[in-house]
Amino acid sequence: EVCPALGAETTRKLAAWQGKVASDIKRAEARAIFVELFDGLLGDKLRQHFMAEFVPLFMEMICETEAGDSHRWHCDAGPQEHLKLLVYLNDTDGRTAVVDRTITFLFHRVGYGFLNKAERVDDLEPIAARYGIPCRPVYLTPEPGKAVVFEPTRVLHKGVVGKTRPRKILVVMLVPWPQRWDDAFDAMWPFIALNIGAGFPNMNVA
């Protein structure tokens, strides 16, 4: 889904922060960004999706200039109930490509989805043709300030590098949580600030 996320001023500011991770950003700045993201329509949609409150675990500003592992079809590791938020920060011809959950499930059934990075493919069509999977990827290029929100464990996806204008995005990873994000933020910030690899905290299970 594509949803409004940030105002023009914040979008321009973050576009200039390319390459910054959470540890490069002051706690107060990160909180202000999250307030703008989540205190409105987007926050309401996230609560509706999770049927719970939520908390961000990861944030990073990316400026893509060349293709890498994330630009070949894959699903992310991690708990099923998490979301990835990609806020577009500039006018770009780069895109986010996704395959819907039903078709992704068919790819999972034939063993494609959670692979070593070296085994990811750029084109799903040969696999789709071999197994009779009706593959219809959707390519999204939101306007600056709007976000793509999707389930990265359940939806095959990849980034597409812009040919003439690099794709600048804010990446945020979210999970359901028993508290509102703003109540949990101070306790979670040390994890967010050090979370370079988009990992998940160890949870104590009694």
Side-chain angles (χ1 to χ4, degrees), residues 15-102:
W17 285 6
Q18 55 187 301
K20 282 195 175 186
V21 296
S23 59
D24 298 321
I25 303 168
K26 294 179 180 178
R27 180 190 304 222
E29 291 176 327
R31 178 184 278 275
I33 293 167
F34 290 148
V35 166
E36 189 167 344
L37 281 173
F38 302 139
D39 279 11
L41 176 63
L42 178 57
D44 291 341
K45 286 182 174 290
L46 294 171
R47 291 183 186 90
Q48 290 171 12
H49 172 84
F50 286 129
M51 294 187 290
E53 295 295 335
F54 60 88
V55 70
L57 295 181
F58 172 81
M59 68 183 304
E60 181 180 15
M61 266 65 67
I62 296 174
C63 178
E64 298 175 333
T65 57
E66 58 184 28
D69 295 325
S70 65
H71 298 89
R72 295 187 293 272
W73 290 105
H74 65 285
C75 288
D76 292 1
Q80 287 192 342
E81 294 302 329
H82 83 276
L83 290 177
K84 182 169 281 187
L85 180 69
L86 305 180
V87 185
Y88 276 63
L89 303 175
N90 67 318
D91 182 15
T92 177
D93 56 343
R95 298 179 290 176
T96 300
V98 296
V99 174
D100 71 32
R101 284 179 62 170
T102 301

